[in-house]
Amino acid sequence: DVKMKTRILRLQTAEYGPLDQCAAGLDCALWDLYARQHEQPLYQVLGGTGSRMPVYASGINPSGVQETIALAQQAGHTAFKVKVGFAEDIDRRTLQAAREVVGDHFLAADANQAWSIDTALHMGDMLDAFELQWLEEPIAADSADSDWQRLCQALRTPLAAGENMNRLSDFERATCTWGLQYMQPDLAKWGGISECMQVVEMCKKQGITYCPHYLGGGIGLMASAHLLAASNQSGWLEMDVNPNPLRSEVLGEHLQVHDGHVTLSSAPGLGFDPDLQALQGYAQFPTQ
């Protein structure tokens, strides 16, 4: 077990994040190999029954919000998430601008843990008026259970969290007691597929929609897509729309968005072999 073998090193260095991420990467690689050995796509090995899933465009900042959304629409996106948590007037302008372009389509917001409980409650009426799909991390991930419960009860807008949680006990407490409607673990930051699968089961038990968090390279995005497909839920896959060759160049033609959806390959494992040659202009990667 990778996590057990790194336990002492994690304790000695107090570097939980980097070591958890390394362990998560190894876990995903082992699942890819396992599925390839069984000559099945990973999502099927994990129990998934469908290969097509909805996606949403992420990483949309206040600066140039309408231009970014328009470009994402041209790329096939129909659902969008903008960043808030800067200042009330900036957040209102961001949401207004986004709604003008998006219309009645899916629009979510991510505060990135920017607010205290009092500020989040104060922002509630303004946020509710925009009919958001969800508000993500309005307060710190390690805030008291009572704060999350209070916020979930006070806001009409559904709440989401999970990307900055890294223990099964935290996920269990959050799914059972907070009142969240969306849970967003990041399998590349923590847990890999093995432990995030357990979070998926917690979500199913509590009637919470699993929507993986992911902002990074193409391999992690593909692994996130397979786990979402394996969940047999109706959650959305997060897709960063900012330039990132580690995502776009590595994926190539895979996970192309059509009418707000992507479809996984039927090839074994993750369903593709990363194009490392395409990255030679950015960094030195071994190709053998």
Side-chain angles (χ1 to χ4, degrees), residues 176-215:
C176 290
T177 67
W178 286 5
L180 300 174
Q181 293 190 33
Y182 298 94
M183 181 58 73
Q184 304 169 310
D186 188 321
L187 58 69
K189 293 176 70 173
W190 163 90
I193 288 171
S194 296
E195 295 202 64
C196 284
M197 283 174 60
Q198 298 182 59
V199 178
V200 170
E201 292 306 312
M202 293 178 190
C203 291
K204 290 181 178 180
K205 186 176 180 180
Q206 298 298 328
I208 297 171
T209 302
Y210 164 67
C211 294
H213 172 271
Y214 190 73
L215 289 176

Side-chain angles (χ1 to χ4, degrees), residues 77-188:
H77 285 281
T78 59
F80 310 89
K81 185 178 76 179
V82 298
K83 291 186 179 294
V84 295
F86 299 94
E88 185 171 352
D89 59 336
I90 295 175
D91 294 343
R92 182 181 289 106
R93 285 199 301 270
T94 297
L95 293 168
Q96 287 174 339
R99 267 286 170 234
E100 288 177 5
V101 181
V102 171
D104 294 332
H105 288 284
F106 174 126
L107 178 64
D110 186 354
N112 291 116
Q113 308 182 92
W115 299 322
S116 66
I117 178 64
D118 290 337
T119 301
L121 289 167
H122 168 74
M123 295 290 288
D125 289 341
M126 186 270 283
L127 295 165
D128 284 346
F130 287 96
E131 300 292 337
L132 300 174
Q133 189 74 29
W134 68 66
L135 172 62
E136 189 171 327
E137 289 196 319
I139 57 177
D142 63 352
S143 295
D145 293 351
S146 58
D147 285 347
W148 280 102
Q149 293 162 0
R150 183 181 173 195
L151 200 55
C152 285
Q153 292 169 3
L155 270 62
R156 189 174 73 249
T157 302
L159 298 190
E163 70 173 272
N164 289 304
M165 298 162 62
N166 57 11
R167 291 185 300 180
L168 283 174
S169 59
D170 291 338
F171 283 105
E172 184 171 18
R173 191 176 72 254
T175 55
C176 290
T177 67
W178 286 5
L180 300 174
Q181 293 190 33
Y182 298 94
M183 181 58 73
Q184 304 169 310
D186 188 321
L187 58 69

Side-chain angles (χ1 to χ4, degrees), residues 249-267:
E249 299 293 344
V250 167
L251 285 175
E253 296 302 313
H254 296 277
L255 289 186
Q256 294 296 307
V257 183
H258 299 285
D259 193 25
H261 290 72
V262 295
T263 302
L264 293 172
S265 166
S266 60

Side-chain angles (χ1 to χ4, degrees), residues 2-16 19:
V2 174
K3 189 169 183 180
M4 288 299 297
K5 290 181 179 179
T6 58
R7 176 172 176 261
I8 301 302
L9 183 58
R10 291 165 73 244
L11 291 171
Q12 286 176 334
T13 62
E15 292 288 355
Y16 290 85
L19 287 168

Side-chain angles (χ1 to χ4, degrees), residues 269-285:
L270 290 177
F272 82 118
D273 294 314
D275 184 4
L276 298 183
Q277 286 284 358
L279 296 175
Q280 291 303 302
Y282 300 96
Q284 294 299 311
F285 291 91

